[in-house]
Amino acid sequence: MRKIIYYHTQESRKSILNNPIKCVRDDAWLGEAFYFWLDLEDADDWGIKSKRGSNYYEVYQSEIKIENILDTVFNEEHYFFWFKQIEKVARAIMSKTKMKPSLKELNDYLKERGLWNEIHGIKFQDLPANSERLLIRPIEYKAGKIRYFQYRKRIQLAVYNAEIILTFKLLKRKKCI
Amino acid sequence: MLDLVNLEIKLDLALANETSESLTAWLHEKRLNAFFQSLGEGIFTPIPDLYIESVLSYRNVVFETKFNEVPCSQHYQLAS
Protein backbone atom coordinates (compact mmCIF):
# COMPACT_ATOMS: atom_id res chain seq x y z
CA MET A 1 0.00 0.00 0.00
CA ARG A 2 1.43 3.40 -1.02
CA LYS A 3 0.91 6.26 1.39
CA ILE A 4 2.15 9.84 1.60
CA ILE A 5 2.17 12.43 4.37
CA TYR A 6 -0.04 15.47 3.84
CA TYR A 7 -0.96 18.46 6.03
CA HIS A 8 -4.37 19.85 6.97
CA THR A 9 -4.64 23.44 8.26
CA GLN A 10 -7.41 24.73 10.49
CA GLU A 11 -8.11 27.64 12.76
CA SER A 12 -7.18 26.73 16.34
CA ARG A 13 -10.26 25.77 18.33
CA LYS A 14 -11.02 24.97 21.98
CA SER A 15 -10.23 21.32 21.48
CA ILE A 16 -7.91 19.41 19.20
CA LEU A 17 -9.54 17.85 16.14
CA ASN A 18 -9.81 14.09 15.85
CA ASN A 19 -10.63 14.23 12.15
CA PRO A 20 -10.12 16.71 9.32
CA ILE A 21 -12.93 19.14 8.51
CA LYS A 22 -14.63 18.85 5.16
CA CYS A 23 -14.60 22.04 3.10
CA VAL A 24 -18.11 22.78 1.81
CA ARG A 25 -17.52 26.26 0.50
CA ASP A 26 -18.90 27.06 -2.95
CA ASP A 27 -15.53 28.31 -4.11
CA ALA A 28 -13.62 25.19 -3.10
CA TRP A 29 -11.69 24.37 -6.24
CA LEU A 30 -12.52 20.71 -6.45
CA GLY A 31 -15.84 20.66 -4.63
CA GLU A 32 -16.75 19.32 -1.22
CA ALA A 33 -13.73 17.46 0.08
CA PHE A 34 -11.11 17.22 2.80
CA TYR A 35 -8.26 19.45 1.61
CA PHE A 36 -4.60 18.76 2.40
CA TRP A 37 -1.29 20.40 1.53
CA LEU A 38 1.71 18.45 0.33
CA ASP A 39 4.28 20.95 1.65
CA LEU A 40 4.36 22.02 5.27
CA GLU A 41 5.28 25.57 4.33
CA ASP A 42 2.10 25.91 2.26
CA ALA A 43 0.11 24.56 5.22
CA ASP A 44 1.71 27.28 7.38
CA ASP A 45 1.10 30.00 4.81
CA TRP A 46 -2.55 29.00 4.60
CA GLY A 47 -2.92 29.14 8.37
CA ILE A 48 -1.34 32.60 8.55
CA LYS A 49 -3.37 33.94 5.64
CA SER A 50 -6.78 32.31 5.95
CA LYS A 51 -7.26 30.75 9.39
CA ARG A 52 -6.97 33.83 11.54
CA GLY A 53 -10.29 33.67 13.42
CA SER A 54 -8.78 32.86 16.83
CA ASN A 55 -5.37 34.32 16.00
CA TYR A 56 -3.88 30.82 16.13
CA TYR A 57 -3.85 28.09 13.53
CA GLU A 58 -3.17 24.36 13.72
CA VAL A 59 -1.50 22.04 11.26
CA TYR A 60 -2.41 18.35 11.37
CA GLN A 61 -0.42 15.59 9.76
CA SER A 62 -2.00 12.66 7.95
CA GLU A 63 -0.87 9.55 6.17
CA ILE A 64 -3.00 9.15 3.07
CA LYS A 65 -3.39 6.11 0.86
CA ILE A 66 -2.79 7.21 -2.71
CA GLU A 67 -3.71 4.23 -4.89
CA ASN A 68 -6.93 5.72 -6.26
CA ILE A 69 -5.86 9.33 -6.39
CA LEU A 70 -6.06 11.20 -9.68
CA ASP A 71 -2.66 12.85 -9.81
CA THR A 72 -2.96 15.85 -12.13
CA VAL A 73 0.37 17.27 -10.94
CA PHE A 74 2.96 14.62 -11.72
CA ASN A 75 1.09 12.06 -13.80
CA GLU A 76 0.76 13.25 -17.39
CA GLU A 77 -1.90 10.71 -18.29
CA HIS A 78 -3.99 11.69 -15.28
CA TYR A 79 -3.63 15.40 -16.05
CA PHE A 80 -4.77 15.12 -19.66
CA PHE A 81 -7.62 12.83 -18.65
CA TRP A 82 -8.81 15.32 -16.03
CA PHE A 83 -8.46 18.34 -18.31
CA LYS A 84 -10.36 16.61 -21.12
CA GLN A 85 -13.23 15.46 -18.90
CA ILE A 86 -13.67 18.82 -17.16
CA GLU A 87 -13.91 20.62 -20.50
CA LYS A 88 -16.18 17.92 -21.89
CA VAL A 89 -18.70 18.33 -19.06
CA ALA A 90 -18.51 22.13 -19.22
CA ARG A 91 -19.08 22.10 -22.99
CA ALA A 92 -22.03 19.70 -22.66
CA ILE A 93 -23.67 21.88 -20.02
CA MET A 94 -23.06 25.02 -22.06
CA SER A 95 -24.36 23.59 -25.32
CA LYS A 96 -27.50 22.07 -23.75
CA THR A 97 -28.41 24.81 -21.31
CA LYS A 98 -26.83 27.89 -22.92
CA MET A 99 -25.35 28.63 -19.50
CA LYS A 100 -21.77 28.42 -18.31
CA PRO A 101 -21.44 26.18 -15.25
CA SER A 102 -19.73 27.38 -12.12
CA LEU A 103 -16.91 25.37 -10.62
CA LYS A 104 -19.24 24.08 -7.91
CA GLU A 105 -21.90 23.07 -10.42
CA LEU A 106 -19.39 21.15 -12.47
CA ASN A 107 -18.06 19.33 -9.41
CA ASP A 108 -21.61 18.69 -8.20
CA TYR A 109 -22.54 17.18 -11.55
CA LEU A 110 -19.72 14.65 -11.39
CA LYS A 111 -20.47 13.86 -7.77
CA GLU A 112 -24.26 13.62 -7.95
CA ARG A 113 -24.21 11.45 -11.04
CA GLY A 114 -21.73 9.17 -9.25
CA LEU A 115 -19.47 9.26 -12.27
CA TRP A 116 -16.18 9.34 -10.47
CA ASN A 117 -16.89 7.30 -7.37
CA GLU A 118 -13.74 5.31 -8.05
CA ILE A 119 -11.64 8.46 -7.70
CA HIS A 120 -10.92 8.84 -3.99
CA GLY A 121 -9.15 12.16 -4.35
CA ILE A 122 -7.56 14.59 -6.78
CA LYS A 123 -4.07 16.01 -6.47
CA PHE A 124 -3.82 19.44 -8.08
CA GLN A 125 -1.65 22.54 -8.05
CA ASP A 126 -1.42 26.25 -8.43
CA LEU A 127 1.44 28.63 -7.67
CA PRO A 128 2.33 29.99 -4.23
CA ALA A 129 1.12 33.50 -3.52
CA ASN A 130 4.04 34.12 -1.17
CA SER A 131 7.21 35.36 -2.87
CA GLU A 132 9.21 35.78 0.36
CA ARG A 133 10.38 32.18 0.38
CA LEU A 134 11.83 32.27 -3.13
CA LEU A 135 15.59 31.81 -3.26
CA ILE A 136 16.06 33.59 -6.57
CA ARG A 137 15.75 37.29 -7.26
CA PRO A 138 12.79 38.54 -9.29
CA ILE A 139 13.19 39.41 -12.95
CA GLU A 140 13.80 43.14 -13.27
CA TYR A 141 12.53 45.10 -16.26
CA LYS A 142 13.86 48.41 -17.59
CA ALA A 143 10.83 50.41 -16.47
CA GLY A 144 11.51 49.35 -12.91
CA LYS A 145 8.87 46.64 -12.82
CA ILE A 146 9.77 43.35 -11.19
CA ARG A 147 8.24 39.95 -11.64
CA TYR A 148 8.71 36.87 -9.49
CA PHE A 149 9.08 33.49 -11.12
CA GLN A 150 7.38 30.91 -8.93
CA TYR A 151 9.49 27.86 -9.63
CA ARG A 152 7.79 25.82 -6.91
CA LYS A 153 4.34 24.26 -7.26
CA ARG A 154 1.79 24.67 -4.49
CA ILE A 155 0.24 21.24 -4.33
CA GLN A 156 -3.01 20.20 -2.69
CA LEU A 157 -5.00 17.03 -2.36
CA ALA A 158 -8.80 17.02 -2.29
CA VAL A 159 -9.94 13.81 -0.59
CA TYR A 160 -13.46 12.59 -1.37
CA ASN A 161 -13.28 9.24 0.37
CA ALA A 162 -12.33 9.71 4.04
CA GLU A 163 -11.31 6.05 4.29
CA ILE A 164 -8.00 6.79 2.59
CA ILE A 165 -7.03 9.13 5.44
CA LEU A 166 -5.15 6.58 7.53
CA THR A 167 -3.88 8.77 10.38
CA PHE A 168 -4.62 12.25 11.67
CA LYS A 169 -2.65 13.96 14.42
CA LEU A 170 -1.81 17.49 15.53
CA LEU A 171 1.61 18.59 14.37
CA LYS A 172 1.70 22.19 15.56
CA ARG A 173 -0.28 25.11 16.89
CA LYS A 174 1.07 28.52 16.01
CA LYS A 175 0.16 32.16 16.32
CA CYS A 176 -0.85 33.93 13.11
CA ILE A 177 1.86 36.49 12.45
CA MET B 1 -5.20 1.65 -9.88
CA LEU B 2 -7.66 3.92 -11.64
CA ASP B 3 -9.22 2.69 -14.86
CA LEU B 4 -9.35 5.94 -16.81
CA VAL B 5 -10.79 4.36 -19.94
CA ASN B 6 -13.74 2.99 -17.99
CA LEU B 7 -14.26 6.30 -16.19
CA GLU B 8 -14.38 8.16 -19.49
CA ILE B 9 -16.90 5.70 -20.91
CA LYS B 10 -19.12 6.23 -17.85
CA LEU B 11 -18.97 9.99 -18.26
CA ASP B 12 -19.63 9.84 -22.02
CA LEU B 13 -22.67 7.62 -21.46
CA ALA B 14 -24.05 9.94 -18.81
CA LEU B 15 -23.62 13.00 -21.01
CA ALA B 16 -25.14 11.23 -24.01
CA ASN B 17 -28.26 10.52 -21.95
CA GLU B 18 -28.65 14.16 -20.95
CA THR B 19 -31.17 16.27 -22.81
CA SER B 20 -31.38 20.00 -22.94
CA GLU B 21 -34.39 19.76 -20.60
CA SER B 22 -32.74 17.45 -18.06
CA LEU B 23 -29.57 19.52 -17.79
CA THR B 24 -31.42 22.84 -17.72
CA ALA B 25 -33.76 21.57 -14.99
CA TRP B 26 -30.79 20.27 -12.99
CA LEU B 27 -28.94 23.57 -13.33
CA HIS B 28 -32.00 25.66 -12.41
CA GLU B 29 -32.61 23.54 -9.33
CA LYS B 30 -28.95 23.95 -8.33
CA ARG B 31 -29.12 27.72 -8.67
CA LEU B 32 -32.45 27.97 -6.88
CA ASN B 33 -31.13 25.91 -3.97
CA ALA B 34 -27.97 28.00 -3.88
CA PHE B 35 -30.11 31.14 -3.68
CA PHE B 36 -32.20 29.81 -0.78
CA GLN B 37 -29.08 28.59 1.01
CA SER B 38 -27.60 32.05 0.67
CA LEU B 39 -30.54 33.38 2.70
CA GLY B 40 -29.57 31.22 5.65
CA GLU B 41 -31.61 28.82 7.73
CA GLY B 42 -35.24 29.58 8.53
CA ILE B 43 -38.77 29.41 7.22
CA PHE B 44 -40.75 31.90 5.22
CA THR B 45 -43.77 33.36 6.95
CA PRO B 46 -46.29 35.81 5.50
CA ILE B 47 -46.26 39.33 6.89
CA PRO B 48 -49.63 39.89 8.62
CA ASP B 49 -51.86 42.59 7.11
CA LEU B 50 -52.12 44.15 10.53
CA TYR B 51 -48.39 44.83 10.51
CA ILE B 52 -48.52 46.55 7.12
CA GLU B 53 -51.54 48.64 8.20
CA SER B 54 -49.84 49.68 11.40
CA VAL B 55 -46.77 50.80 9.51
CA LEU B 56 -48.76 52.79 6.97
CA SER B 57 -50.97 54.40 9.57
CA TYR B 58 -48.16 55.37 11.87
CA ARG B 59 -48.76 59.07 12.23
CA ASN B 60 -45.16 60.20 12.42
CA VAL B 61 -44.16 58.60 9.15
CA VAL B 62 -43.10 61.17 6.55
CA PHE B 63 -43.04 60.13 2.92
CA GLU B 64 -40.69 62.25 0.90
CA THR B 65 -42.09 63.33 -2.44
CA LYS B 66 -40.20 66.59 -2.79
CA PHE B 67 -37.03 66.76 -0.82
CA ASN B 68 -37.56 70.38 0.20
CA GLU B 69 -40.76 69.33 1.96
CA VAL B 70 -38.99 67.32 4.59
CA PRO B 71 -39.55 69.39 7.71
CA CYS B 72 -36.22 69.30 9.39
CA SER B 73 -32.96 67.49 9.76
CA GLN B 74 -34.40 65.62 12.74
CA HIS B 75 -35.73 63.00 10.36
CA TYR B 76 -32.33 62.42 8.96
CA GLN B 77 -30.95 62.12 12.43
CA LEU B 78 -33.61 59.57 13.27
CA ALA B 79 -32.91 57.66 10.12
CA SER B 80 -29.23 57.50 10.82
Side-chain angles (χ1 to χ4, degrees), chain A residues 132-147:
Chain A
E132 288 166 17
R133 296 181 196 270
L134 292 174
L135 300 181
I136 58 170
R137 289 173 52 191
I139 302 163
E140 293 172 30
Y141 296 94
K142 281 180 186 169
K145 274 178 70 178
I146 59 166
R147 190 177 165 195

Side-chain angles (χ1 to χ4, degrees), chain A residues 37 41 55 73 84 101 113 158 173 175:
Chain A
W37 297 100
E41 64 183 69
N55 223 18
V73 182
K84 186 178 165 190
R113 299 290 200 261
R173 178 177 183 271
K175 190 173 172 57

Side-chain angles (χ1 to χ4, degrees), chain A:
Chain A
M1 179 176 64
R2 293 174 63 217
K3 53 191 181 182
I4 288 185
I5 289 175
Y6 281 90
Y7 304 98
H8 182 75
T9 309
Q10 285 298 340
E11 173 190 327
S12 187
R13 292 168 166 81
K14 282 180 184 171
S15 51
I16 291 171
L17 299 177
N18 295 317
N19 296 293
I21 296 176
K22 185 184 266 191
C23 178
V24 295
R25 289 169 56 113
D26 284 358
D27 59 355
W29 285 6
L30 293 178
E32 290 185 15
F34 302 97
Y35 284 79
F36 290 85
W37 297 100
L38 181 60
D39 289 324
L40 186 53
E41 64 183 69
D42 290 325
D44 278 320
D45 280 348
W46 189 245
I48 293 163
K49 187 185 161 205
S50 301
K51 300 291 178 183
R52 307 180 63 90
S54 61
N55 223 18
Y56 284 85
Y57 69 91
E58 291 169 349
V59 176
Y60 292 82
Q61 179 176 304
S62 279
E63 282 181 318
I64 297 180
K65 206 167 94 173
I66 57 161
E67 264 87 13
N68 291 320
I69 293 294
L70 192 70
D71 180 356
T72 69
V73 182
F74 298 117
N75 186 319
E76 211 172 332
E77 189 189 2
H78 282 198
Y79 166 70
F80 284 112
F81 166 81
W82 182 69
F83 177 71
K84 186 178 165 190
Q85 309 317 314
I86 291 293
E87 292 225 318
K88 191 189 288 178
V89 177
R91 281 206 181 90
I93 292 175
M94 281 163 65
S95 72
K96 289 181 179 172
T97 67
K98 310 294 177 214
M99 291 181 275
K100 223 176 203 179
S102 70
L103 185 62
K104 179 174 168 49
E105 287 160 357
L106 203 147
N107 281 309
D108 283 353
Y109 181 83
L110 293 167
K111 186 181 175 189
E112 288 172 19
R113 299 290 200 261
L115 297 169
W116 284 2
N117 285 347
E118 293 90 335
I119 295 177
H120 294 169
I122 299 180
K123 188 197 282 185
F124 62 102
Q125 66 148 99
D126 69 344
L127 297 175
N130 186 347
S131 57
E132 288 166 17
R133 296 181 196 270
L134 292 174
L135 300 181
I136 58 170
R137 289 173 52 191
I139 302 163
E140 293 172 30
Y141 296 94
K142 281 180 186 169
K145 274 178 70 178
I146 59 166
R147 190 177 165 195
Y148 288 96
F149 171 62
Q150 293 285 0
Y151 53 85
R152 187 176 67 83
K153 296 171 186 224
R154 189 170 75 155
I155 299 165
Q156 289 186 73
L157 176 67
V159 174
Y160 303 121
N161 180 355
E163 288 178 13
I164 67 170
I165 303 167
L166 303 174
T167 61
F168 185 78
K169 63 179 181 187
L170 180 67
L171 183 68
K172 62 165 111 169
R173 178 177 183 271
K174 290 196 79 173
K175 190 173 172 57
C176 300
I177 305 161

